[in-house]
Amino acid sequence: VTSLKPGWTTFTWEESISHTASPFRISILDENEKLVTVLLDHIPHNENSSPIANVEKTYTPYKMSINIPDIKCDKCTLQFLYVMTDKTVNCGIPTCYYNPDDAACKGSTDPEAPTCAGAPNDNVCVQEGECFSNYHSCSDVVLLGTVPYTEFSQDSQPADWPYNSQHMKMQYYGAEVGSWSNNWLQGLPANYTTEFPNLTC
């Protein structure tokens, strides 16, 4: 379990399989795995990523500094979400809806329809247009702020985050690409690309 104080920390992760134009999200969940708040959404993909599966030295590293809000939670989770929109786009769904309660299905509500290529199973989806293939990685955290997590809205993205909900709709994802250099996304305000104490996924 990792303890996190309010303020900036650098989150690092590696991509072991590259999914073209597939975005990332970093958020906080409660102990029942329900969304508390989104810290950064629509983090765009690095199209220069070309890892070889199961060859760790080829994995593509990413870095992103995030601002942990003044939130208090003794049993929460920091969730890293990778929405594999390459699969939904290839299945004729240019923009998909991420449903955390139905995050793995065939890509259609029709039991007779063919299963989309790359879908994780043959289960019908709850609704049409869902993001049917997603990767989740979670780390248990204790959040050392002062405001109870139950008082937070589901959107804690900073106003200067260029992909926040003022610009891109939360939980809806498509082909999303950014320019990355030396593991950092380019064109951001300085705090997002400043190295702070690290949290690794």
Side-chain angles (χ1 to χ4, degrees):
V1 177
T2 301
S3 295
L4 291 175
K5 297 178 180 178
W8 288 88
T9 186
T10 299
F11 187 70
T12 65
W13 70 95
E14 290 183 328
E15 187 175 38
S16 58
I17 299 175
S18 182
H19 291 275
T20 298
S22 296
F24 310 99
R25 185 184 82 172
I26 302 172
S27 56
I28 294 171
L29 310 183
D30 66 16
E31 63 180 314
N32 297 312
E33 299 185 354
K34 298 298 183 183
L35 178 66
V36 172
T37 194
V38 174
L39 301 179
L40 290 182
D41 204 358
H42 294 284
I43 302 171
H45 188 256
N46 179 5
E47 290 299 273
N48 291 321
S49 174
S50 56
I52 300 171
N54 300 316
V55 182
E56 189 169 352
K57 66 181 181 180
T58 70
Y59 292 177
T60 300
Y62 288 78
K63 291 184 178 183
M64 179 65 62
S65 292
I66 56 176
N67 189 29
I68 305 298
D70 184 22
I71 183 171
K72 177 176 175 57
C73 183
D74 295 330
K75 293 182 179 180
C76 272
T77 297
L78 190 68
Q79 184 197 61
F80 173 76
L81 169 66
Y82 187 11
V83 185
M84 299 177 193
T85 56
D86 58 334
K87 299 179 183 181
T88 53
V89 169
N90 287 339
C91 199
I93 308 171
T95 301
C96 64
Y97 170 70
Y98 172 69
N99 179 358
D101 296 321
D102 191 38
C105 57
K106 66 181 289 182
S108 173
T109 59
D110 182 358
E112 303 302 322
T115 297
C116 288
N121 55 51
D122 295 321
N123 299 333
V124 294
C125 299
V126 170
Q127 65 187 62
E128 290 295 341
E130 286 188 336
C131 305
F132 57 78
S133 185
N134 306 277
Y135 172 80
H136 306 85
S137 180
C138 298
S139 177
D140 292 334
V141 292
V142 176
L143 300 169
L144 302 175
T146 62
V147 180
Y149 73 88
T150 53
E151 297 182 14
F152 274 74
S153 74
Q154 291 191 344
D155 187 1
S156 290
Q157 299 178 86
D160 64 352
W161 174 243
Y163 307 97
N164 66 24
S165 57
Q166 297 299 311
H167 305 281
M168 304 183 75
K169 194 172 182 179
M170 291 174 61
Q171 292 190 244
Y172 287 84
Y173 301 92
E176 302 175 26
V177 174
S179 176
W180 294 75
S181 179
N182 296 320
N183 311 330
W184 296 96
L185 181 60
Q186 301 301 291
L188 300 177
N191 275 344
Y192 299 101
T193 56
T194 298
E195 188 90 40
F196 295 96
N198 279 359
L199 181 65
T200 302
C201 180

